[in-house]
């Protein structure tokens, strides 16, 4: 762990994704989520922040540029009742960093955490709630979008999953 409470997960090009090993940089993750979900998408603050942020089985990821600028965030949730499965969520990239592959690097880092920390016999299922406008992005990462639409914070979503293998 570095002095800022993080450890690197993945470096691709000019993007470094770190995991938060303590709460030191949690405010950076929250700032991105507030910018993207609350300010841009009008998700109510009370729905954006939940108890899972503080769960001991939650891993927070932060994407940083070469200059240390905060670019995006994601979180990986694990439930001991469901070994071999994680939920990736709160994937958010700041507007200034969109279109540069940051989301893709964040997702690869989330998959690395899922496999490293939660795989059973080298396999883990990653599930997520995909916003309609992000279906193509998740499908390009191997996810299968399934089921009926449902509203989450007033935004249309469908469930999606991918099986990851080491």
């Amino acid at each position: 762990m570095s002095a800022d409470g993080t450890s690197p997960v993945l470096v691709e090009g000019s993007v470094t994704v770190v995991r938060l090993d303590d709460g030191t940089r949690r405010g950076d993750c929250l700032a991105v989520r507030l910018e993207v979900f609350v300010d841009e998408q009008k998700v109510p603050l009370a729905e954006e922040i939940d108890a899972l942020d503080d769960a001991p089985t939650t891993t927070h990821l932060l994407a940083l540029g070469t200059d240390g600028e905060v670019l995006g965030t994601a979180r990986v949730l694990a439930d001991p009742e469901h070994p071999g499965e994680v939920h990736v969520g709160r994937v958010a990239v700041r507007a200034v960093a969109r279109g540069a592959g940051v989301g893709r690097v964040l997702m690869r880092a989330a998959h690395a955490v899922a496999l490293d920390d939660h795989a059973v016999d080298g396999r883990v299922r990653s599930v997520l709630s995909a916003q309609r406008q992000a279906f193509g992005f998740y499908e390009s990462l191997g996810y299968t979008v399934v089921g009926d639409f449902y509203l989450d914070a007033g935004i249309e979503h469908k469930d999606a999953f991918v099986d990851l293998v080491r």
Side-chain angles (χ1 to χ4, degrees), residues 1-161:
M1 176 170 58
S2 69
D4 69 351
T6 67
S7 53
V9 175
L10 184 65
V11 178
E12 284 191 20
S14 62
V15 179
T16 298
V17 178
V18 297
R19 74 186 297 151
L20 305 189
D21 296 317
D22 62 25
T24 306
R25 300 226 32 200
R26 181 87 63 84
D28 290 330
C29 294
L30 183 58
V32 173
R33 287 169 45 187
L34 294 179
E35 180 180 326
V36 173
F37 298 126
V38 176
D39 296 343
E40 292 177 20
Q41 297 184 352
K42 307 302 181 207
V43 170
L45 180 61
E47 292 184 43
E48 176 52 33
I49 300 178
D50 62 25
L52 294 172
D53 282 330
D54 297 318
T57 56
T58 298
T59 301
H60 293 275
L61 301 174
L62 191 61
L64 305 168
T66 53
D67 59 356
E69 179 184 12
V70 175
L71 305 175
T73 189
R75 73 180 186 185
V76 178
L77 308 175
D79 180 350
E81 301 281 323
H82 301 281
E85 182 175 297
V86 299
H87 181 92
V88 176
R90 302 305 201 265
V91 180
V93 176
R94 296 182 61 223
V96 297
R98 289 187 200 136
V102 174
R104 191 168 298 285
V105 178
L106 265 168
M107 289 301 295
R108 281 198 278 271
H111 292 167
V113 167
L115 283 164
D116 289 347
D117 296 355
H118 306 290
V120 174
D121 296 326
R123 299 176 162 279
V124 65
R125 175 167 279 198
S126 175
V127 298
L128 54 81
S129 299
Q131 291 183 7
R132 178 193 284 267
Q133 48 89 10
F135 289 173
F137 169 70
Y138 291 117
E139 288 170 334
S140 76
L141 293 166
Y143 282 81
T144 300
V145 177
V146 297
D148 295 327
F149 281 105
Y150 56 91
L151 292 179
D152 186 358
I155 301 168
E156 286 188 321
H157 288 71
K158 280 190 175 189
D159 292 332
F161 72 92

